[in-house]
Amino acid sequence: MNIGEIGAIIIFFVGVYGVIARRNITKTVISIGIMQAAVILFFVATGGAGSTSAPIGAGSTSAPIGAGTDAADAIPQALMITAIVIGIAVTAVALTMFIYLYHKYGTTNWEKARKMREDE
Amino acid sequence: MSIPLWAPILIPVFFGILTYTLPEKIKKIVAIVGAGTTLVVCVMIFAQTTSGPMSLSLGGWDPPVGIMLFADRISSVLITLTSLLFFSLTIFEFGKKHSKRTFYMLFLILNGLLNGLFLVDDLFSIFVLIEVSTIVVALLIMYKRDSRSMYDGLIYLLVNIFSATFFLFGLAMLYKQTGTFSLSLLGDIITQDMPALYLPFAFIMTSVCLKAALMPLFSWLPRAHGTPSSPSVVSAILSGLYVKSGIYLFLRCQNAFSAIDTQTFFLIAGIITAIIGFVFAIAQSDIKMILSYGTVSQLGLIMIALNTGSETAMWGGVYHIINHAIFKSMLFVGAGEIIAEYKTRNIYEMKGVFKRMPLISAAMIAAILGITGAPLFNGSISKYLISQGSNDLVGDIMLTLINLGTIVLFIKLSRIFAGNTGVKARVPANRAAVCVFLGATCLVLGIFGAPIIEFLFGIQVKIDTAGYIQKSIIFAASVVGAWLIYRFAVRDRAFWKRVRAFDLGFNKIAMSIVLFFVVFTAYLYFG
């Protein structure tokens, strides 16, 4: 376990704490963003620990992955680009829905929104 | 001619985008053509897999680096089922007016995404498909933009993203240990019980169990499936098919990690889910909520079937996936028509449905007979196979108890058919045809149970006549018992009111996910 991975685990559970403990819907969306950032950090730290170079351009070779080159593993990095894009899309949809909810109920609080929904 | 495996994923997506660009009149026809083409393609793939599993590496890169599509008998049957239901529901929707242009686009894209979930072999692609389908489903749930559904849709979206992040974190740890995401390669790599894989396995399973709505992770499901604003075909797809993708993922993941023994855990979880599901369902008075909680109960039953460790029960469970998809979509579609006719969702305000809508009622009764496991109907075959697998007294009593609860639930629902009010309502021909088709399928899948199972999965099951008759007698006794329970026990209003009021807020749902994760991890390490 390198420092990046340990950091990622800590950050992930900070995000989990935020989702469980905060009643504010905006903070929930932010906490999920923190969790996603932690996962991205973990992936990148797994693929390229220590003194590896970027798996692109000069210095990287076309040799198979892990076959004695000092370039970082390219797969986690490629996947994380996808994960970042998905994370942005999901956050955007969540915030859009939250704006609609806010216009209807005028609250950012989960519990208040739930009460208003029950009373309808 | 050989059909490539990407076809059932990309064709509906293509037609979906096409409908978005077309004017109102043409796009309905294009949507039906698109769903029909997908169905034809899926049937052809099924025909190809009867001679052996197919696989296709995308872009010419093989695993562990590339992404592979994989189809065996189970997955090709499931994509055919998916496309068949989407096709019939698109026909069902034909006459309805949609205020927004996006409906058919989202609906057909969901078809492609579900086919993708059943076909893809790569865990990271599964993550991507889960995330995208979560967004599509959230948009379909709040389709009519009623404020209640805003709240339901937001809960659904955030709970599912939260758990998908768990899934992705599990993948990161898994990649560190094994260096691949391919489920079939993982099955070869994991040959013994490796403690290093417990943590990633727990992360992945937490998310998969949320998709499969296992206890205690089911509280998002009734909200999403029973929300007032979603069209009834969307509820039908969600309850009939979408949750099945969770069950299917569960099956695949458990196969890949078969060295780690978790059957006892999920067997107990399945039993609890089945019981809690019908208790909550009986407490409801909203017809869509009754059906949604009924889904939870049936998912518990499928979970039991997959975890008894017997081959027969496993196939019974897989057959129940198909059966449940048929009768639950029929019930939701029928409920949608009844709600539109009576302008209420409360079953105590619906009376004389049979007189008013005889055809839909008949189809719904066929579906109810199917879900309760009445002799000759499809549910009886799958439930018979499941009870074959758990061949001991405790298992039999458990299954009878769960079925008893289901019967009580549907006796409560059936009260809407009685009575004699109102004039006969008109049902358009296309909707009537779909209802008759779905209702008749319940009967056909029951009468020809064993030959159909052999045709679909290539395995032979034995349905022993004496045993089947014995089950039928137990069913008859259960109906009498259930009627008595309904007559005397369901009257206690205060208790059921408390059950009905039980509802978790977002923070508590998130808490239950984390608790499930902690308990499951502890079970893996110390159990």
Side-chain angles (χ1 to χ4, degrees):
Chain A
M1 277 235 171
N2 60 37
I3 183 112
E5 289 168 359
I6 294 167
I9 292 173
I10 294 169
I11 297 172
F12 184 84
F13 283 101
V14 168
V16 170
Y17 169 78
V19 173
I20 295 172
R22 295 290 119 187
R23 294 261 165 99
N24 187 319
I25 299 176
T26 336
K27 285 185 183 166
T28 303
V29 177
I30 294 171
S31 302
I32 290 177
I34 292 173
M35 286 166 65
Q36 283 166 346
V39 175
I40 292 165
L41 177 61
F42 192 97
F43 258 108
V44 175
T46 306
S51 57
T52 52
S53 65
I56 191 168
S60 72
T61 60
S62 58
I65 292 148
T69 62
D70 61 348
D73 187 352
I75 291 182
Q77 308 205 354
L79 295 183
M80 281 313 101
I81 294 173
T82 320
I84 290 168
V85 173
I86 292 173
I88 290 171
V90 161
T91 312
V93 173
L95 286 176
T96 315
M97 288 171 71
F98 167 63
I99 291 171
Y100 272 110
L101 186 84
Y102 186 77
H103 281 309
K104 289 256 158 78
Y105 290 152
T107 178
T108 58
N109 188 307
W110 278 114
E111 287 304 307
K112 282 183 187 158
R114 184 162 76 98
K115 286 220 171 59
M116 286 181 184
R117 186 207 183 273
E118 295 307 315
D119 295 342
E120 242 175 300
Chain B
M1 192 182 73
S2 160
I3 300 281
L5 277 179
W6 48 259
I9 306 172
L10 286 189
I11 287 176
V13 174
F14 168 74
F15 275 99
I17 294 168
L18 194 64
T19 58
Y20 185 70
T21 61
L22 295 172
E24 185 72 26
K25 273 187 182 159
I26 312 171
K27 81 176 180 191
K28 289 178 177 169
I29 297 162
V30 171
I32 290 177
V33 170
T37 318
T38 317
L39 177 60
V40 171
V41 164
C42 289
V43 170
M44 288 168 91
I45 285 180
F46 171 71
Q48 286 169 21
T49 50
T50 49
S51 52
M54 297 164 68
S55 66
L56 170 76
S57 297
L58 295 179
W61 292 83
D62 288 323
V65 180
I67 295 168
M68 193 170 82
L69 298 179
F70 175 80
D72 57 5
R73 290 294 268 268
I74 298 184
S75 50
S76 62
V77 166
L78 285 175
I79 58 169
T80 312
L81 174 76
T82 307
S83 307
L84 179 69
L85 274 186
F86 269 95
F87 179 58
S88 28
L89 293 177
T90 317
I91 292 178
F92 186 85
E93 274 300 273
F94 184 71
K96 290 193 180 168
K97 274 214 158 45
H98 288 288
S99 48
K100 284 192 291 182
R101 338 167 32 117
T102 45
F103 178 79
Y104 283 112
M105 182 177 84
L106 293 172
F107 198 62
L108 287 178
I109 286 179
L110 188 60
N111 186 356
L113 293 170
L114 276 174
N115 284 348
L117 272 173
F118 289 131
L119 286 177
V120 84
D121 181 58
D122 173 87
L123 278 170
F124 189 79
S125 306
I126 288 176
F127 164 76
V128 175
L129 289 166
I130 286 178
E131 288 280 71
V132 180
S133 57
T134 302
I135 294 179
V136 172
V137 168
L139 294 177
L140 282 171
I141 288 174
M142 33 173 254
Y143 181 69
K144 289 179 191 157
R145 287 215 193 148
D146 162 34
S147 60
R148 273 176 296 180
S149 60
M150 265 323 150
Y151 177 79
D152 295 342
L154 195 61
I155 289 247
Y156 171 80
L157 183 74
L158 289 178
V159 166
N160 277 279
I161 295 170
F162 181 64
S163 88
T165 315
F166 271 69
F167 189 81
L168 190 60
F169 204 44
L171 290 194
M173 294 177 170
L174 185 69
Y175 186 78
K176 187 178 154 69
Q177 299 293 339
T178 63
T180 181
F181 292 116
S182 161
L183 274 168
S184 44
L185 275 186
L186 279 173
D188 299 339
I189 293 172
I190 306 165
T191 47
Q192 75 225 31
D193 204 352
M194 293 154 84
L197 289 178
Y198 286 171
L199 203 55
F201 185 56
F203 270 115
I204 291 173
M205 272 316 200
T206 305
S207 179
V208 170
C209 290
L210 182 110
K211 280 279 166 214
L214 204 63
M215 172 74 199
L217 308 175
F218 66 88
S219 27
W220 59 272
L221 185 142
R223 288 202 162 288
H225 295 188
T227 189
S229 85
S230 67
S232 59
V233 288
V234 172
S235 301
I237 285 293
L238 290 183
S239 226
L241 278 174
Y242 189 59
V243 285
K244 304 300 161 36
S245 66
I247 297 273
Y248 177 72
L249 284 184
F250 176 85
L251 196 63
R252 293 294 304 275
C253 288
Q254 211 187 30
N255 261 340
F257 289 86
S258 54
I260 304 174
D261 181 34
T262 51
Q263 287 202 326
T264 326
F265 182 85
F266 287 114
L267 186 63
I268 294 168
I271 292 172
I272 298 172
T273 311
I275 292 172
I276 297 271
F278 72 69
V279 169
F280 274 99
I282 292 170
Q284 305 295 324
S285 59
D286 176 326
I287 185 166
K288 268 191 159 181
M289 292 301 260
I290 291 180
L291 294 175
S292 313
Y293 277 112
T295 300
V296 174
S297 172
Q298 297 295 313
L299 289 173
L301 183 66
I302 296 173
M303 220 53 176
I304 295 172
L306 298 182
N307 286 292
T308 50
S310 114
E311 192 86 350
T312 321
M314 202 276 275
W315 288 110
V318 174
Y319 196 52
H320 202 63
I321 291 179
I322 300 172
N323 292 339
H324 182 259
I326 303 279
F327 47 62
K328 201 32 94 56
S329 16
M330 177 56 231
L331 287 171
F332 262 109
V333 164
E337 290 302 295
I338 295 173
I339 291 169
E341 174 71 23
Y342 283 76
K343 310 265 184 306
T344 175
R345 297 157 58 83
N346 190 335
I347 60 164
Y348 293 103
E349 290 167 18
M350 297 169 181
K351 285 209 167 58
V353 177
F354 197 87
K355 278 272 157 60
R356 219 152 136 179
M357 319 169 93
L359 196 83
I360 287 180
S361 303
M364 276 182 86
I365 288 170
I368 287 175
L369 290 173
I371 200 169
T372 48
L376 297 183
F377 284 86
N378 54 0
S380 65
I381 302 287
S382 41
K383 287 183 180 178
Y384 171 80
L385 291 175
I386 294 170
S387 68
Q388 276 309 92
S390 61
N391 218 346
D392 60 351
L393 195 65
V394 184
D396 260 0
I397 291 173
M398 265 309 163
L399 289 173
T400 313
L401 179 73
I402 291 165
N403 206 30
L404 189 71
T406 315
I407 296 172
V408 174
L409 164 61
F410 281 97
I411 285 180
K412 179 172 174 175
L413 187 68
S414 303
R415 69 198 305 285
I416 63 171
F417 296 121
N420 194 1
T421 50
V423 284
K424 219 169 152 184
R426 267 194 71 246
V427 180
N430 60 328
R431 285 182 224 170
V434 170
C435 287
V436 168
F437 170 69
L438 290 174
T441 311
C442 289
L443 194 56
V444 170
L445 287 177
I447 293 175
F448 303 107
I452 287 178
I453 291 178
E454 196 185 340
F455 172 69
L456 292 178
F457 303 114
I459 51 138
Q460 296 212 334
V461 290
K462 242 185 75 196
I463 291 173
D464 175 36
T465 320
Y468 192 71
I469 291 171
Q470 188 198 344
K471 289 286 164 204
S472 307
I473 294 167
I474 293 179
F475 173 77
S478 302
V479 171
V480 176
W483 191 77
L484 291 174
I485 292 173
Y486 174 70
R487 202 86 184 85
F488 297 107
V490 183
R491 298 278 148 150
D492 181 6
R493 289 288 162 81
F495 169 74
W496 295 108
K497 215 173 170 180
R498 265 212 305 284
V499 175
R500 188 157 64 227
F502 176 83
D503 173 39
L504 293 178
F506 176 80
N507 298 98
K508 286 184 184 142
I509 296 178
M511 191 69 207
S512 67
I513 295 172
V514 176
L515 273 182
F516 180 88
F517 168 71
V518 170
V519 169
F520 185 55
T521 316
Y523 172 83
L524 285 176
Y525 278 104
F526 308 112

